[in-house]
Structures are given as structure tokens and as C-alpha cells.
Amino acid sequence: MDYAIIKPIVEEKEIVIDKGSLKTKRKFSFLLEAGDEILENREFWANDEVEVVIDYKYTNDKRPKEKIKIYKIKEVLRC
């Protein structure tokens, strides 16, 4: 590994989900790839752990909803 900093190029979007339905997993930043959806938009050190969105639900029932911002990775720059 010849790099120390990971710079994701992202597209921001706001989603509405059922409260408490967001499922994430922790992933080392050097494993990030295009298409991953993350919760933070910043530069990472190669060994930082990042919360990656796996799944979420939105239903039309009366369950409480929440809006969150997620960032879809378009490209990953390694410096």
C-alpha cells in the first residue's frame, strides 16, 4: 500500500427512511469502492473505519420517519 489518504468523490443525496431501519457496517477506508454509500463526506486515513450503508427501509405506514444525508461514492482517489 503506497498511499495514506483516501479521498472519495461523492454525490450527496437526502433520503427518508423508517426511523431505526438504517443498517450499516464498518469497513476500512482503503477498501472503499465506487458505488458504496457512506455517512460522512471527508478524507480518510487508509486505516480509518468508515460506516457504509448496507440497507434501509421506507414504508407508507405510520412508522416514524427520519431524513438522513448519505454520500454515494463516484470515484476513490488514493494519495
Side-chain angles (χ1 to χ4, degrees), residues 6-24:
I6 307 299
K7 296 180 184 181
I9 308 296
V10 298
E11 175 183 304
E12 179 182 319
K13 63 181 181 178
E14 186 172 86
I15 58 173
V16 178
I17 65 171
D18 291 347
K19 197 171 204 97
S21 73
L22 183 68
K23 294 180 182 156
T24 63

Side-chain angles (χ1 to χ4, degrees), residues 11 17 36 38 42 53 57 61 65 69-71:
E11 175 183 304
I17 65 171
D36 285 344
I38 57 178
R42 64 178 181 90
V53 176
K57 290 183 184 176
D61 62 12
K65 308 292 185 219
K69 286 185 181 176
I70 61 173
Y71 305 93

Side-chain angles (χ1 to χ4, degrees), residues 45-74:
W45 289 101
N47 62 345
D48 285 347
E49 288 190 340
V50 182
E51 290 286 327
V52 177
V53 176
I54 299 173
D55 191 25
Y56 56 87
K57 290 183 184 176
Y58 176 78
T59 56
N60 288 327
D61 62 12
K62 294 184 180 185
R63 244 183 120 176
K65 308 292 185 219
E66 64 181 320
K67 288 183 180 180
I68 62 169
K69 286 185 181 176
I70 61 173
Y71 305 93
K72 185 170 186 167
I73 298 176
K74 295 169 70 176

